[in-house]
Amino acid sequence: PNVREYAAEALGRLGAKEFAPQIAKLLGYPDSGVRSSAATALGRLGTKEHAPQIAKLLNDPEILVRIRASTVLHQLDQPGPEASSGKITGFLNDPDLSVRGSAATALGDLGAKKFAPKIANLLGDPSSYVRCSATSALGQLNIKEYIPQITKLLNDPDSYVRMSAEKALKHLGQPAPAP
């Protein structure tokens, strides 16, 4: 485990704004997990002064770091995330399941309602991780037209997908039917 990654996450969760300059230095760290955690921490801390450094991560060689940077910039109400959400949708078709799932999650975090149909296409993904991510994102986007599709996932063979569907339906004001 990378101590820097966990330290950045912890400082972000603790709201330790006094450590923001040190966390910002980790945005250039060689390990992608550290860069992603540093961006997340700075987003949680709400340090808009570091937005230009975070924006540089939109060109990071690691897809997951680019997705995280876009989400953090949105949290900081900085320009650019709306345009980058269009780029993120391209990752919904990535062969790597972690990229597809992370893209769905990021679009949900960004409130990118216009991409809900593309996220909904992932509800039938072979990966349970991706189905969970898509279900959560659609619940977060609060678009009721997907209730029937999400309801079908209450019968998914994977328990995490079923739990994600229950949670999304609850968020949409449609409690899951009793078993």
Side-chain angles (χ1 to χ4, degrees):
N2 195 317
V3 175
R4 288 172 183 85
E5 184 176 343
Y6 293 124
E9 288 176 13
L11 291 169
R13 276 193 222 105
L14 290 170
K17 287 187 177 186
E18 65 272 21
F19 291 102
Q22 289 85 353
I23 296 169
K25 289 178 185 176
L26 296 175
L27 294 171
Y29 198 76
D31 182 85
S32 63
V34 172
R35 293 192 305 275
S36 183
S37 292
T40 300
L42 292 170
R44 284 188 177 138
L45 295 175
T47 57
K48 291 184 179 188
E49 63 270 20
H50 297 296
Q53 292 168 275
I54 296 167
K56 290 179 184 177
L57 294 179
L58 293 172
N59 296 313
D60 195 272
E62 291 291 328
I63 293 170
L64 298 176
V65 174
R66 292 194 304 262
I67 292 171
R68 174 56 48 203
S70 179
T71 305
V72 169
L73 288 170
H74 178 74
Q75 288 172 334
L76 296 174
D77 291 324
Q78 295 300 304
E82 291 75 21
S84 63
S85 65
K87 292 179 184 177
I88 292 173
T89 59
F91 299 135
L92 293 172
N93 298 317
D94 196 274
D96 185 318
L97 66 93
S98 65
V99 173
R100 291 193 309 275
S102 294
T105 299
L107 290 168
D109 290 346
L110 289 169
K113 290 185 177 193
K114 69 181 180 180
F115 298 113
K118 292 183 181 208
I119 297 168
N121 288 336
L122 296 178
L123 294 176
D125 195 274
S127 163
S128 60
Y129 167 71
V130 175
R131 291 193 308 276
C132 280
S133 298
T135 303
S136 296
L138 290 171
Q140 192 173 1
L141 292 173
N142 202 24
I143 301 175
K144 299 193 186 297
E145 73 184 78
Y146 295 104
I147 289 174
Q149 291 165 276
I150 295 170
T151 301
K152 289 179 184 176
L153 292 175
L154 293 172
N155 296 316
D156 194 274
D158 186 276
S159 64
Y160 290 108
V161 175
R162 293 191 304 269
M163 286 189 295
S164 182
E166 285 181 31
K167 186 175 177 183
L169 288 169
K170 184 177 179 182
H171 187 80
L172 291 164
Q174 183 78 23

